[in-house]
Amino acid sequence: MPLSEHEQRMLEQMERALYAEDPKFASALEGSGLRTYTRRRVYQAVAGFLVGIALLMAGMVAQLIWVSVVGFLVMLGCAVLAVTGWRKAPKPGEQPAEAVRRQARPKRSMMDRIEERWQRRRDEQGH
């Protein structure tokens, strides 16, 4: 459940106060969040990629095509996870992109957007 605008403002004020009071502690807390999670996810994807290479080679040596195909698919999946995880990782001292996007404009439901488009079309046609 997303935070209300008031709750988001209060959270931001508390964060600013924490940074002002004890920047060292605040940066230590920041590192344990999303950045650490995405870094760990990228490392796991790299390890999975290496397992995929091993499966690919083992399938070639044992002349089992299905093992090689599985190895290739594991490599492909892990490469996608690593790249997307790396791109989504926030830089140190930066808010996650999702939080910035959420603050920029409030989320509207699909029906609200459809109704808005309908009203715009009616207004453009002069009805």
Side-chain angles (χ1 to χ4, degrees):
M1 182 170 145
L3 299 175
S4 69
E5 289 181 31
H6 176 69
E7 292 170 332
Q8 286 179 354
R9 281 190 301 244
M10 294 296 292
L11 182 62
E12 289 171 5
Q13 288 175 355
M14 289 189 302
E15 287 176 354
R16 283 193 295 267
L18 179 63
Y19 273 105
E21 218 173 276
D22 193 357
K24 194 174 192 178
F25 178 68
S27 63
L29 285 179
E30 179 186 74
S32 64
L34 184 63
R35 220 172 9 134
T36 303
Y37 169 75
T38 53
R39 186 180 303 142
R40 187 179 319 130
R41 182 176 168 195
V42 168
Y43 291 149
Q44 289 171 347
V46 168
F49 188 84
L50 296 175
V51 168
I53 289 175
L55 283 172
L56 182 71
M57 293 299 182
M60 291 173 61
V61 169
Q63 294 182 351
L64 297 172
I65 294 178
W66 66 273
V67 174
S68 295
V69 170
V70 168
F72 176 75
L73 292 176
V74 168
M75 288 171 50
L76 184 64
C78 288
V80 168
L81 281 176
V83 169
T84 57
W86 194 261
R87 286 183 182 169
K88 289 181 182 179
K91 306 293 183 268
E94 178 182 70
Q95 284 186 341
E98 184 178 298
V100 171
R101 201 177 316 117
R102 199 178 303 129
Q103 290 173 357
R105 81 185 148 118
K107 186 170 175 111
R108 298 180 301 169
S109 71
M110 183 178 74
M111 288 304 294
D112 290 340
R113 291 191 307 262
I114 290 172
E115 286 179 21
E116 184 180 310
R117 286 184 199 144
W118 180 259
Q119 286 293 70
R120 240 185 298 144
R121 285 186 191 135
R122 287 186 60 155
D123 292 343
E124 288 172 358
Q125 292 175 356
H127 288 107

